[in-house]
Amino acid sequence: RLPLMLRSSAGAYMYATSDVACVLDRVERLGADLLLYVVGAPQALHLQMVFEVCRMAGWLAPPVEAVHVPFGSVLGEDRKMLKSREGDAVKLVDLIDEAVERAAAAVQAKNPDLDADTAAAVARAVGVGALKYADLSNDRVKDYIFDWDRMLAFEGNTAPYLQYAHARICSIFRRAGVERGSVGTAITLGEPQETALALRLLGYPTAVTDALAAYAPHKLCTYLFDLAQEFTAFYEHCPVTRAEEPVRTSRLALCDVTARTLAHGLGLLGIDAPDAM
């Protein structure tokens, strides 16, 4: 076993000292029974040693558990740690500002008819969402390359693609003159694309459970991307507003469930789903 230094020979306290103290505080004062440490993968050995000491001390006795949830590094195009042009660590506030600025340009090109306030709100939702999704949609233990064009694209496994799918459904209801949530839940499946979309929707609880069990948000991202693709196929092959009743109402109900699932899933990831884009 490797030694864990809690106090140096000179009397100084170490990183491990505060980490061990924090475990004790969280267990005894806060009453926590599950501690998740979302910390970079290089700290795996350090946390393993901290947890083992706490188990020896009796602070991490069942059912109390501490889990290291490691993540990889964000790399630049040169495949080295992401840096600013000056070579410094990139500040989050600068990333957010640039993401919103780039998203504003993309939203303006996509829908120039949005009023100024709506466009600003959508730009922030898209920009911040793109940043979050780029990080969460990758297997957290793997490094990934930071790419503005890819993360802000309206195609592919990106937040803007999912947000646009949600906004598209909202626009269907506006064109139909129907309030979302008012069409009931009776759904009749006739076309293969309807069945495929419905089956994908039924898989949502399992997708959430799997993501939680493995502390792997990318599993939920993959599900939402697959759902958006199923909806696109459904939308291209199954007319909604032009369909005859009762098919029209059934398809509107299917659209409503899809929109609510997309919005809920994105919400779990901390991402907004605008009604218009």
Tab-separated table of all heavy atoms in Angstrom, residues 106-151:
chain	number	residue	atom	x	y	z
A	106	ALA	N	-25.578	32.204	-36.012
A	106	ALA	CA	-26.208	31.017	-36.607
A	106	ALA	C	-27.729	31.130	-36.568
A	106	ALA	O	-28.422	30.792	-37.538
A	106	ALA	CB	-25.755	29.760	-35.867
A	107	VAL	N	-28.266	31.622	-35.456
A	107	VAL	CA	-29.720	31.774	-35.318
A	107	VAL	C	-30.233	32.840	-36.280
A	107	VAL	O	-31.285	32.677	-36.908
A	107	VAL	CB	-30.086	32.131	-33.862
A	107	VAL	CG1	-31.557	32.539	-33.751
A	107	VAL	CG2	-29.788	30.958	-32.938
A	108	GLN	N	-29.481	33.922	-36.438
A	108	GLN	CA	-29.869	34.976	-37.372
A	108	GLN	C	-29.943	34.447	-38.795
A	108	GLN	O	-30.861	34.765	-39.555
A	108	GLN	CB	-28.867	36.129	-37.290
A	108	GLN	CG	-29.017	37.210	-38.362
A	108	GLN	CD	-30.328	37.970	-38.255
A	108	GLN	OE1	-30.943	37.999	-37.188
A	108	GLN	NE2	-30.747	38.594	-39.349
A	109	ALA	N	-28.975	33.604	-39.163
A	109	ALA	CA	-28.972	33.021	-40.506
A	109	ALA	C	-30.112	32.023	-40.684
A	109	ALA	O	-30.690	31.914	-41.769
A	109	ALA	CB	-27.632	32.336	-40.773
A	110	LYS	N	-30.443	31.316	-39.604
A	110	LYS	CA	-31.484	30.294	-39.665
A	110	LYS	C	-32.873	30.905	-39.686
A	110	LYS	O	-33.759	30.455	-40.419
A	110	LYS	CB	-31.341	29.357	-38.453
A	110	LYS	CG	-32.109	28.052	-38.564
A	110	LYS	CD	-31.368	27.070	-39.433
A	110	LYS	CE	-32.011	25.702	-39.424
A	110	LYS	NZ	-31.367	24.764	-40.353
A	111	ASN	N	-33.080	31.941	-38.861
A	111	ASN	CA	-34.408	32.544	-38.747
A	111	ASN	C	-34.274	34.046	-38.518
A	111	ASN	O	-34.337	34.517	-37.383
A	111	ASN	CB	-35.190	31.898	-37.601
A	111	ASN	CG	-36.643	32.308	-37.580
A	111	ASN	OD1	-37.057	33.200	-38.329
A	111	ASN	ND2	-37.434	31.683	-36.722
A	112	PRO	N	-34.096	34.826	-39.579
A	112	PRO	CA	-33.901	36.272	-39.441
A	112	PRO	C	-35.151	37.022	-38.987
A	112	PRO	O	-35.081	38.213	-38.681
A	112	PRO	CB	-33.484	36.707	-40.853
A	112	PRO	CG	-34.059	35.666	-41.753
A	112	PRO	CD	-34.010	34.383	-40.983
A	113	ASP	N	-36.298	36.335	-38.934
A	113	ASP	CA	-37.551	36.998	-38.585
A	113	ASP	C	-37.806	37.053	-37.081
A	113	ASP	O	-38.790	37.670	-36.641
A	113	ASP	CB	-38.731	36.288	-39.258
A	113	ASP	CG	-38.653	36.370	-40.777
A	113	ASP	OD1	-38.124	37.386	-41.278
A	113	ASP	OD2	-39.099	35.425	-41.452
A	114	LEU	N	-36.951	36.431	-36.285
A	114	LEU	CA	-37.139	36.477	-34.829
A	114	LEU	C	-36.937	37.903	-34.321
A	114	LEU	O	-36.032	38.600	-34.769
A	114	LEU	CB	-36.149	35.539	-34.133
A	114	LEU	CG	-36.371	34.029	-34.271
A	114	LEU	CD1	-35.242	33.278	-33.578
A	114	LEU	CD2	-37.717	33.621	-33.691
A	115	ASP	N	-37.775	38.329	-33.356
A	115	ASP	CA	-37.585	39.660	-32.784
A	115	ASP	C	-36.326	39.663	-31.931
A	115	ASP	O	-35.801	38.604	-31.555
A	115	ASP	CB	-38.799	40.075	-31.951
A	115	ASP	CG	-39.030	39.166	-30.754
A	115	ASP	OD1	-38.350	39.347	-29.741
A	115	ASP	OD2	-39.873	38.239	-30.855
A	116	ALA	N	-35.830	40.851	-31.610
A	116	ALA	CA	-34.523	40.994	-30.966
A	116	ALA	C	-34.448	40.249	-29.640
A	116	ALA	O	-33.463	39.554	-29.350
A	116	ALA	CB	-34.197	42.474	-30.764
A	117	ASP	N	-35.485	40.385	-28.794
A	117	ASP	CA	-35.453	39.745	-27.479
A	117	ASP	C	-35.466	38.224	-27.603
A	117	ASP	O	-34.721	37.520	-26.905
A	117	ASP	CB	-36.644	40.212	-26.635
A	117	ASP	CG	-36.516	41.672	-26.208
A	117	ASP	OD1	-35.387	42.196	-26.256
A	117	ASP	OD2	-37.539	42.268	-25.836
A	118	THR	N	-36.328	37.715	-28.490
A	118	THR	CA	-36.396	36.267	-28.680
A	118	THR	C	-35.088	35.740	-29.254
A	118	THR	O	-34.573	34.703	-28.819
A	118	THR	CB	-37.554	35.891	-29.617
A	118	THR	OG1	-38.782	36.363	-29.056
A	118	THR	CG2	-37.634	34.386	-29.823
A	119	ALA	N	-34.528	36.468	-30.232
A	119	ALA	CA	-33.271	36.046	-30.846
A	119	ALA	C	-32.151	35.989	-29.813
A	119	ALA	O	-31.329	35.058	-29.830
A	119	ALA	CB	-32.897	36.994	-31.979
A	120	ALA	N	-32.113	36.963	-28.906
A	120	ALA	CA	-31.067	36.984	-27.873
A	120	ALA	C	-31.224	35.806	-26.918
A	120	ALA	O	-30.238	35.159	-26.532
A	120	ALA	CB	-31.126	38.300	-27.106
A	121	ALA	N	-32.474	35.513	-26.531
A	121	ALA	CA	-32.719	34.397	-25.616
A	121	ALA	C	-32.380	33.067	-26.279
A	121	ALA	O	-31.774	32.183	-25.660
A	121	ALA	CB	-34.179	34.407	-25.165
A	122	VAL	N	-32.748	32.932	-27.544
A	122	VAL	CA	-32.458	31.690	-28.271
A	122	VAL	C	-30.954	31.530	-28.454
A	122	VAL	O	-30.404	30.431	-28.312
A	122	VAL	CB	-33.175	31.673	-29.635
A	122	VAL	CG1	-32.698	30.500	-30.485
A	122	VAL	CG2	-34.681	31.601	-29.435
A	123	ALA	N	-30.261	32.628	-28.771
A	123	ALA	CA	-28.812	32.561	-28.959
A	123	ALA	C	-28.116	32.075	-27.696
A	123	ALA	O	-27.186	31.262	-27.755
A	123	ALA	CB	-28.273	33.933	-29.362
A	124	ARG	N	-28.567	32.550	-26.546
A	124	ARG	CA	-27.949	32.108	-25.292
A	124	ARG	C	-28.262	30.634	-25.033
A	124	ARG	O	-27.385	29.871	-24.622
A	124	ARG	CB	-28.423	32.960	-24.120
A	124	ARG	CG	-27.744	32.567	-22.804
A	124	ARG	CD	-27.816	33.636	-21.749
A	124	ARG	NE	-27.009	33.263	-20.596
A	124	ARG	CZ	-25.714	33.470	-20.483
A	124	ARG	NH1	-25.062	34.084	-21.465
A	124	ARG	NH2	-25.047	33.098	-19.405
A	125	ALA	N	-29.510	30.234	-25.280
A	125	ALA	CA	-29.882	28.833	-25.069
A	125	ALA	C	-29.080	27.915	-25.990
A	125	ALA	O	-28.600	26.858	-25.567
A	125	ALA	CB	-31.378	28.647	-25.305
A	126	VAL	N	-28.916	28.326	-27.240
A	126	VAL	CA	-28.186	27.508	-28.210
A	126	VAL	C	-26.694	27.498	-27.892
A	126	VAL	O	-26.050	26.439	-27.905
A	126	VAL	CB	-28.432	28.025	-29.641
A	126	VAL	CG1	-27.510	27.317	-30.635
A	126	VAL	CG2	-29.893	27.816	-30.030
A	127	GLY	N	-26.124	28.669	-27.598
A	127	GLY	CA	-24.694	28.749	-27.325
A	127	GLY	C	-24.286	27.989	-26.082
A	127	GLY	O	-23.356	27.156	-26.118
A	128	VAL	N	-24.979	28.249	-24.976
A	128	VAL	CA	-24.655	27.548	-23.728
A	128	VAL	C	-24.975	26.064	-23.852
A	128	VAL	O	-24.209	25.207	-23.386
A	128	VAL	CB	-25.425	28.174	-22.551
A	128	VAL	CG1	-25.209	27.366	-21.276
A	128	VAL	CG2	-24.984	29.620	-22.325
A	129	GLY	N	-26.092	25.756	-24.521
A	129	GLY	CA	-26.456	24.361	-24.711
A	129	GLY	C	-25.427	23.610	-25.531
A	129	GLY	O	-25.107	22.449	-25.245
A	130	ALA	N	-24.898	24.273	-26.557
A	130	ALA	CA	-23.885	23.638	-27.402
A	130	ALA	C	-22.639	23.287	-26.598
A	130	ALA	O	-22.052	22.207	-26.764
A	130	ALA	CB	-23.527	24.555	-28.572
A	131	LEU	N	-22.211	24.193	-25.739
A	131	LEU	CA	-21.042	23.936	-24.889
A	131	LEU	C	-21.280	22.743	-23.970
A	131	LEU	O	-20.443	21.846	-23.852
A	131	LEU	CB	-20.721	25.173	-24.053
A	131	LEU	CG	-19.929	26.300	-24.699
A	131	LEU	CD1	-19.801	27.474	-23.722
A	131	LEU	CD2	-18.550	25.831	-25.133
A	132	LYS	N	-22.424	22.755	-23.293
A	132	LYS	CA	-22.726	21.675	-22.352
A	132	LYS	C	-22.817	20.333	-23.073
A	132	LYS	O	-22.260	19.329	-22.620
A	132	LYS	CB	-24.036	21.962	-21.618
A	132	LYS	CG	-23.974	23.109	-20.629
A	132	LYS	CD	-25.312	23.285	-19.924
A	132	LYS	CE	-25.253	24.379	-18.868
A	132	LYS	NZ	-26.554	24.551	-18.172
A	133	TYR	N	-23.530	20.333	-24.189
A	133	TYR	CA	-23.775	19.076	-24.891
A	133	TYR	C	-22.487	18.516	-25.471
A	133	TYR	O	-22.282	17.288	-25.474
A	133	TYR	CB	-24.802	19.292	-25.999
A	133	TYR	CG	-25.371	18.008	-26.545
A	133	TYR	CD1	-26.460	17.390	-25.928
A	133	TYR	CD2	-24.830	17.412	-27.680
A	133	TYR	CE1	-26.986	16.207	-26.433
A	133	TYR	CE2	-25.354	16.230	-28.183
A	133	TYR	CZ	-26.426	15.631	-27.557
A	133	TYR	OH	-26.944	14.461	-28.047
A	134	ALA	N	-21.607	19.392	-25.959
A	134	ALA	CA	-20.332	18.922	-26.500
A	134	ALA	C	-19.543	18.163	-25.439
A	134	ALA	O	-18.851	17.178	-25.735
A	134	ALA	CB	-19.517	20.100	-27.022
A	135	ASP	N	-19.652	18.604	-24.205
A	135	ASP	CA	-18.933	17.955	-23.115
A	135	ASP	C	-19.646	16.684	-22.662
A	135	ASP	O	-19.014	15.644	-22.448
A	135	ASP	CB	-18.805	18.927	-21.944
A	135	ASP	CG	-17.712	18.517	-20.969
A	135	ASP	OD1	-16.555	18.393	-21.394
A	135	ASP	OD2	-18.022	18.324	-19.781
A	136	LEU	N	-20.978	16.749	-22.537
A	136	LEU	CA	-21.735	15.635	-21.973
A	136	LEU	C	-21.983	14.505	-22.967
A	136	LEU	O	-22.208	13.363	-22.559
A	136	LEU	CB	-23.078	16.146	-21.444
A	136	LEU	CG	-23.008	17.153	-20.295
A	136	LEU	CD1	-24.398	17.683	-19.974
A	136	LEU	CD2	-22.382	16.522	-19.060
A	137	SER	N	-21.955	14.808	-24.264
A	137	SER	CA	-22.277	13.785	-25.259
A	137	SER	C	-21.113	12.848	-25.547
A	137	SER	O	-21.296	11.810	-26.199
A	137	SER	CB	-22.728	14.438	-26.572
A	137	SER	OG	-21.707	15.260	-27.117
A	138	ASN	N	-19.940	13.184	-25.069
A	138	ASN	CA	-18.781	12.294	-25.221
A	138	ASN	C	-18.651	11.397	-24.000
A	138	ASN	O	-18.984	11.798	-22.881
A	138	ASN	CB	-17.491	13.114	-25.369
A	138	ASN	CG	-17.406	13.813	-26.704
A	138	ASN	OD1	-17.016	13.223	-27.701
A	138	ASN	ND2	-17.785	15.081	-26.731
A	139	ASP	N	-18.172	10.193	-24.220
A	139	ASP	CA	-17.875	9.311	-23.093
A	139	ASP	C	-16.946	10.070	-22.151
A	139	ASP	O	-15.855	10.492	-22.536
A	139	ASP	CB	-17.202	8.033	-23.604
A	139	ASP	CG	-17.038	6.985	-22.516
A	139	ASP	OD1	-16.994	7.360	-21.331
A	139	ASP	OD2	-16.953	5.794	-22.857
A	140	ARG	N	-17.382	10.268	-20.917
A	140	ARG	CA	-16.681	11.198	-20.015
A	140	ARG	C	-15.234	10.811	-19.726
A	140	ARG	O	-14.434	11.675	-19.351
A	140	ARG	CB	-17.443	11.330	-18.697
A	140	ARG	CG	-17.645	10.040	-17.962
A	140	ARG	CD	-18.288	10.261	-16.602
A	140	ARG	NE	-18.729	9.024	-16.000
A	140	ARG	CZ	-17.934	8.145	-15.434
A	140	ARG	NH1	-16.629	8.372	-15.393
A	140	ARG	NH2	-18.414	7.031	-14.911
A	141	VAL	N	-14.867	9.540	-19.871
A	141	VAL	CA	-13.495	9.146	-19.551
A	141	VAL	C	-12.547	9.390	-20.719
A	141	VAL	O	-11.333	9.242	-20.573
A	141	VAL	CB	-13.414	7.664	-19.127
A	141	VAL	CG1	-14.250	7.427	-17.877
A	141	VAL	CG2	-13.848	6.753	-20.258
A	142	LYS	N	-13.096	9.783	-21.873
A	142	LYS	CA	-12.260	9.977	-23.048
A	142	LYS	C	-11.993	11.460	-23.296
A	142	LYS	O	-12.829	12.312	-22.995
A	142	LYS	CB	-12.930	9.371	-24.282
A	142	LYS	CG	-13.113	7.858	-24.201
A	142	LYS	CD	-13.786	7.326	-25.453
A	142	LYS	CE	-13.958	5.819	-25.392
A	142	LYS	NZ	-14.648	5.299	-26.597
A	143	ASP	N	-10.822	11.764	-23.852
A	143	ASP	CA	-10.521	13.133	-24.276
A	143	ASP	C	-11.344	13.448	-25.532
A	143	ASP	O	-11.735	12.553	-26.273
A	143	ASP	CB	-9.035	13.274	-24.620
A	143	ASP	CG	-8.126	12.976	-23.435
A	143	ASP	OD1	-8.625	12.983	-22.300
A	143	ASP	OD2	-6.934	12.720	-23.661
A	144	TYR	N	-11.621	14.740	-25.739
A	144	TYR	CA	-12.277	15.113	-26.983
A	144	TYR	C	-11.730	16.442	-27.475
A	144	TYR	O	-11.220	17.248	-26.688
A	144	TYR	CB	-13.803	15.166	-26.841
A	144	TYR	CG	-14.341	16.350	-26.058
A	144	TYR	CD1	-14.696	17.538	-26.699
A	144	TYR	CD2	-14.524	16.279	-24.680
A	144	TYR	CE1	-15.196	18.622	-25.989
A	144	TYR	CE2	-15.036	17.347	-23.961
A	144	TYR	CZ	-15.377	18.512	-24.620
A	144	TYR	OH	-15.865	19.575	-23.907
A	145	ILE	N	-11.843	16.658	-28.787
A	145	ILE	CA	-11.315	17.865	-29.416
A	145	ILE	C	-12.406	18.934	-29.470
A	145	ILE	O	-13.514	18.685	-29.948
A	145	ILE	CB	-10.798	17.565	-30.833
A	145	ILE	CG1	-9.624	16.580	-30.748
A	145	ILE	CG2	-10.372	18.843	-31.542
A	145	ILE	CD1	-9.111	16.130	-32.094
A	146	PHE	N	-12.085	20.106	-28.976
A	146	PHE	CA	-13.026	21.226	-28.955
A	146	PHE	C	-13.134	21.803	-30.361
A	146	PHE	O	-12.151	22.238	-30.943
A	146	PHE	CB	-12.522	22.293	-27.980
A	146	PHE	CG	-13.510	23.375	-27.683
A	146	PHE	CD1	-14.388	23.263	-26.614
A	146	PHE	CD2	-13.560	24.522	-28.464
A	146	PHE	CE1	-15.297	24.264	-26.337
A	146	PHE	CE2	-14.471	25.524	-28.198
A	146	PHE	CZ	-15.340	25.392	-27.134
A	147	ASP	N	-14.355	21.807	-30.914
A	147	ASP	CA	-14.564	22.232	-32.298
A	147	ASP	C	-15.839	23.072	-32.367
A	147	ASP	O	-16.946	22.545	-32.277
A	147	ASP	CB	-14.684	20.997	-33.199
A	147	ASP	CG	-14.787	21.355	-34.677
A	147	ASP	OD1	-15.216	22.472	-35.000
A	147	ASP	OD2	-14.435	20.501	-35.517
A	148	TRP	N	-15.669	24.386	-32.548
A	148	TRP	CA	-16.827	25.290	-32.588
A	148	TRP	C	-17.811	24.899	-33.680
A	148	TRP	O	-19.025	24.851	-33.450
A	148	TRP	CB	-16.369	26.729	-32.819
A	148	TRP	CG	-15.812	27.440	-31.640
A	148	TRP	CD1	-14.548	27.917	-31.484
A	148	TRP	CD2	-16.497	27.798	-30.428
A	148	TRP	NE1	-14.389	28.532	-30.258
A	148	TRP	CE2	-15.580	28.474	-29.600
A	148	TRP	CE3	-17.804	27.596	-29.969
A	148	TRP	CZ2	-15.920	28.960	-28.339
A	148	TRP	CZ3	-18.156	28.080	-28.711
A	148	TRP	CH2	-17.220	28.760	-27.912
A	149	ASP	N	-17.316	24.643	-34.875
A	149	ASP	CA	-18.203	24.354	-36.006
A	149	ASP	C	-19.038	23.112	-35.753
A	149	ASP	O	-20.237	23.079	-36.074
A	149	ASP	CB	-17.388	24.189	-37.295
A	149	ASP	CG	-16.751	25.494	-37.746
A	149	ASP	OD1	-17.280	26.565	-37.388
A	149	ASP	OD2	-15.724	25.441	-38.451
A	150	ARG	N	-18.424	22.092	-35.192
A	150	ARG	CA	-19.161	20.848	-34.946
A	150	ARG	C	-20.204	21.036	-33.855
A	150	ARG	O	-21.356	20.615	-33.996
A	150	ARG	CB	-18.201	19.719	-34.554
A	150	ARG	CG	-18.874	18.355	-34.456
A	150	ARG	CD	-17.943	17.294	-33.910
A	150	ARG	NE	-17.631	17.522	-32.505
A	150	ARG	CZ	-18.447	17.167	-31.504
A	150	ARG	NH1	-19.604	16.590	-31.752
A	150	ARG	NH2	-18.102	17.384	-30.251
A	151	MET	N	-19.847	21.681	-32.743
A	151	MET	CA	-20.776	21.760	-31.624
A	151	MET	C	-21.953	22.703	-31.891
A	151	MET	O	-23.019	22.564	-31.289
A	151	MET	CB	-20.038	22.186	-30.338
A	151	MET	CG	-19.563	23.614	-30.297
A	151	MET	SD	-18.883	24.049	-28.664
A	151	MET	CE	-17.575	22.860	-28.488
